Amino acid sequence: MTDLLFGLNVSPSAAPGADPVALARRAEELGFDFVSASDHPCGDQPTYETWTMLAWIAAHTSRIRVATRVLGMPYRHPPMVAKMAETLDRLSGGRLILGLGGGYSDEEFRAFGLGVPSPRDKVDGLAEAITIIRGLWSQPEFSFAGRRYRTVAAELEPKPGHRIPLWLGTFGDRALAVTGRLADGWIPSLGHASAEQLTAMRRRVLAAASEAGRDPGEITCALNVQVRVDEHARAGQSVLGGPPGAVAGELAGFLRAGFTALNFITAGPADEQAERLAREVLPELTAAA
């Protein structure tokens, strides 16, 4: 990973005319470091399943990394996620960033008959899932008996050829502590929390890392941010909008606050916004950093 990373959201929309592969290939040409996709399998709008879409994107690109932003952990059993991740990372040449979350949409769990986990269940399950995934990736066989998940002498081969980055999308105090103890990265979203709240949350993550005996500097602090580069756009509560210089100035504030990766969710035509970000905003951010 580079010191400063820029990512671009790829919508999982399966509506007529949507082409996630074309957008990912353009992002690669423009120099973005990774593309990402959210994970909401339930809904009345046509969408692709996130993991399958990212695998297809990886097969049609050569350099750019692919990130789940973030997989809802309760949708898939942790040992299967471990196997899926190892396979996609290996076939893509080591390009996976595995983002995980507790799954915030109770309606999706209810609709799919998965049961609705409590907030405690979501956080405990996330911590147990990370333990299982890392165990299966590193040990000849792995047994684990948790409150939410368990394995019995489970074997997974081949093992990853390198450490697959594992980022968490977390907000609450207990979940932030799990992130600091166990994860390689943290990827919250502007809009779900204010800039001031995000700065305080980042401190909690890094403090938890220190308390666990880890080097806080090893944790990538990424941020999902909606942007619209447009001379006539105005910034909103969750969208940074305006001319390139204004957008770059707002984003530079997050870099100064300690974030080292920015994942852009474009508000407006994705192709046009990707071009303007790459050509008019990212050079200013790189210079500022």
Side-chain angles (χ1 to χ4, degrees):
M1 288 241 175
T2 57
D3 290 337
L4 183 59
L5 300 175
F6 298 123
L8 184 70
N9 172 68
V10 175
S11 170
S13 173
D19 192 342
V21 168
L23 181 57
R25 295 181 72 168
R26 186 60 184 140
E28 183 171 72
E29 292 169 358
L30 290 168
F32 286 90
D33 299 293
F34 65 95
V35 291
S36 69
S38 60
D39 181 38
H40 294 288
C42 180
D44 62 357
Q45 299 300 309
T47 59
Y48 294 110
E49 191 278 323
T50 296
W51 196 269
T52 310
M53 185 187 78
L54 288 177
W56 193 247
I57 285 173
H60 287 81
T61 53
S62 59
R63 174 196 60 80
I64 201 164
R65 308 190 76 167
V66 293
T68 55
R69 196 197 77 251
V70 288
L71 287 186
M73 201 60 243
Y75 297 139
R76 306 166 183 86
H77 203 55
M80 284 306 302
V81 172
K83 185 66 176 178
M84 292 158 58
E86 196 288 326
T87 297
L88 180 51
D89 189 70
R90 183 174 297 274
L91 291 176
S92 68
R95 290 189 282 142
L96 175 65
I97 299 170
L98 179 59
L100 299 176
Y104 78 88
S105 178
D106 291 349
E107 287 302 317
E108 288 184 323
F109 298 131
R110 189 174 294 111
F112 278 16
L114 298 173
V116 179
S118 68
R120 180 191 174 196
D121 288 342
K122 291 178 181 181
V123 176
D124 289 352
L126 192 57
E128 290 179 11
I130 297 168
T131 301
I132 289 172
I133 291 168
R134 290 288 188 209
L136 290 172
W137 283 346
S138 61
Q139 299 186 26
E141 63 178 38
F142 187 69
S143 296
F144 177 82
R147 193 174 69 83
R148 296 284 291 166
Y149 302 116
R150 67 193 302 264
T151 59
V152 180
E155 299 173 310
L156 187 149
E157 294 294 341
K159 307 296 184 192
H162 70 122
R163 185 177 178 88
I164 298 172
L166 201 159
W167 295 2
L168 301 186
T170 52
F171 291 91
D173 286 347
R174 292 184 66 242
L176 294 171
V178 168
T179 305
R181 291 199 313 270
L182 301 176
D184 301 302
W186 177 51
I187 183 163
S189 299
L190 181 66
H192 289 281
S194 68
E196 294 76 14
Q197 290 170 324
L198 289 168
T199 299
M201 290 176 183
R202 178 178 174 273
R203 287 196 295 264
R204 293 191 191 105
V205 169
L206 300 186
S210 295
E211 291 168 7
R214 302 182 62 198
D215 177 4
E218 295 179 353
I219 297 177
T220 299
C221 291
L223 180 65
N224 294 317
V225 56
Q226 292 190 70
V227 295
R228 183 177 180 91
V229 185
D230 185 334
E231 284 73 11
H232 305 290
R234 293 185 178 181
Q237 187 172 10
S238 59
V239 179
L240 298 184
V247 172
E250 291 284 344
L251 292 170
F254 291 107
L255 301 184
R256 290 192 296 271
F259 286 90
T260 55
L262 297 172
N263 181 67
F264 301 109
I265 303 169
T266 57
D271 288 344
E272 173 203 342
Q273 288 294 301
E275 293 271 353
R276 297 205 68 177
L277 280 166
R279 302 192 187 286
E280 301 175 58
V281 175
L282 300 194
E284 289 195 39
L285 291 177
T286 302

